């Protein structure tokens, strides 16, 4: 009985997390039956315990069953904190030496992966209250700080300081604010676009100066 209570508490906490993060969730029954992220994390918790106990093969088999049924691949060696939520989840991949803190949110298509065939710690570490947007890739043995927001489609290969927003390929820190900031995918800074706009403005200024200089020389010749 003592062993089952923590398990039920964890399930209840996971359901409460989904209600908090997903306004589309209508009931606990709907979450239990229809949320692949919920299924994937429960399977992972079980597989991770077996992995830590040194049970051969079975943890990987459970991981593959989870991948087949949910579209989410979590290596049983990954360490995942409390109140973790994968929204929709199709195509999410989490590598063996990944470490994830508490209250982390991943959207579909996210990869927490490695960068090669190196040994040891080769996957990222995510702090608490991290949000990783749709299709983003966080690669290598890097730390993503507490409260970090990773924009959709970003490729992050360098460490990110606490309470930052990172976007682009490769990922660049574009904001450093408090953790209460939400990740608005439709209102993210665009460093490349801003650089192109600045370049276009400077070209226009140079063209105007050249035109003015040409007009002055033409006036001198006529005079």
């Amino acid at each position: 009985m003592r062993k089952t209570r923590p398990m039920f508490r964890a399930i209840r906490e996971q359901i409460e997390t989904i209600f908090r993060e997903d306004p589309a969730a209508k009931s606990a029954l709907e979450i239990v039956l229809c949320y692949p992220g919920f299924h994937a994390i429960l399977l992972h918790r079980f597989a991770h315990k077996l992995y830590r106990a040194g049970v051969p093969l079975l943890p990987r088999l459970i991981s593959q069953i989870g991948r087949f049924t949910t579209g989410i691949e979590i290596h049983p060696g990954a360490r995942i904190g409390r109140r973790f939520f994968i929204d929709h989840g199709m195509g999410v991949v989490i590598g063996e030496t990944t470490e994830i803190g508490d209250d982390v949110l991943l959207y579909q298509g996210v990869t927490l992966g490695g960068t090669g065939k190196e040994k040891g710690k080769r996957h990222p570490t995510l702090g608490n209250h991290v949000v990783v947007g749709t299709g983003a890739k966080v690669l290598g043995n890097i730390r993503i700080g507490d409260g970090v927001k990773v924009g959709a489609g970003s490729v992050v290969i360098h460490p990110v300081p606490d309470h930052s927003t990172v976007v682009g390929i490769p990922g660049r820190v574009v904001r450093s604010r408090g953790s209460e900031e939400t990740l608005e995918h439709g209102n993210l800074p665009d460093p490349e676009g801003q650089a192109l706009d600045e370049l276009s403005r400077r070209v226009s200024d140079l063209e105007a100066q050249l035109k003015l200089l040409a007009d002055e020389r033409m006036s001198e010749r006529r005079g």
Side-chain angles (χ1 to χ4, degrees):
M1 184 66 178
R2 291 180 180 178
K3 293 183 179 180
T4 59
R5 284 179 179 175
M7 180 184 68
F8 283 116
R9 280 200 297 267
I11 292 173
R12 183 176 63 184
E13 185 177 65
Q14 197 67 37
I15 291 173
E16 290 171 351
T17 299
I18 294 174
F19 273 126
R20 184 179 67 250
E21 298 290 351
D22 187 2
K26 299 298 188 296
S27 69
L29 182 61
E30 179 185 36
I31 291 171
V32 170
L33 295 179
C34 303
Y35 273 67
F38 176 78
H39 305 150
I41 190 62
L42 291 186
L43 286 171
H44 172 73
R45 301 289 190 201
F46 180 53
H48 183 68
K49 286 184 178 181
L50 297 177
Y51 182 89
R52 297 274 293 177
V55 176
L57 185 60
L58 184 57
R60 287 302 305 271
L61 180 61
I62 294 171
S63 172
Q64 291 302 301
I65 291 172
R67 179 189 181 194
F68 178 77
T69 57
T70 67
I72 299 168
E73 181 176 347
I74 309 176
H75 192 284
R79 299 184 180 183
I80 299 177
R82 297 173 61 187
R83 297 178 296 278
F84 176 63
F85 178 42
I86 303 174
D87 194 0
H88 295 290
M90 181 62 69
V92 168
V93 177
I94 300 175
E96 178 184 12
T97 60
T98 301
E99 297 179 27
I100 298 175
D102 297 334
D103 301 291
V104 171
L105 170 62
L106 305 185
Y107 289 93
Q108 64 268 28
V110 167
T111 298
L112 305 179
T115 56
K117 297 181 179 179
E118 65 273 18
K119 302 293 184 180
K121 182 75 167 75
R122 59 192 184 278
H123 299 104
T125 297
L126 276 59
N128 301 321
H129 302 283
V130 173
V131 178
V132 185
T134 302
K137 316 298 177 187
V138 184
L139 306 175
N141 181 17
I142 60 175
R143 184 180 187 275
I144 308 301
D146 295 340
V148 167
K149 321 297 179 184
V150 180
S154 300
V155 178
V156 184
I157 56 175
H158 300 294
V160 180
D162 294 349
H163 308 310
S164 301
T165 298
V166 58
V167 301
I169 303 174
R172 301 177 185 176
V173 174
V174 294
R175 290 178 185 164
S176 295
R177 296 182 181 177
S179 60
E180 72 277 0
E181 177 188 357
T182 58
L183 182 64
E184 299 178 5
H185 295 290
N187 190 31
L188 287 173
D190 182 4
E192 289 79 11
Q194 292 171 358
L196 289 173
D197 289 343
E198 177 63 18
L199 180 61
S200 178
R201 185 188 64 79
R202 294 183 65 180
V203 169
S204 297
D205 290 344
L206 288 172
E207 288 177 342
Q209 292 177 16
L210 287 173
K211 186 176 184 303
L212 180 61
L213 182 60
D215 290 344
E216 289 177 352
R217 289 184 177 179
M218 185 66 71
S219 297
E220 290 175 357
R221 289 176 182 177
R222 290 176 179 175

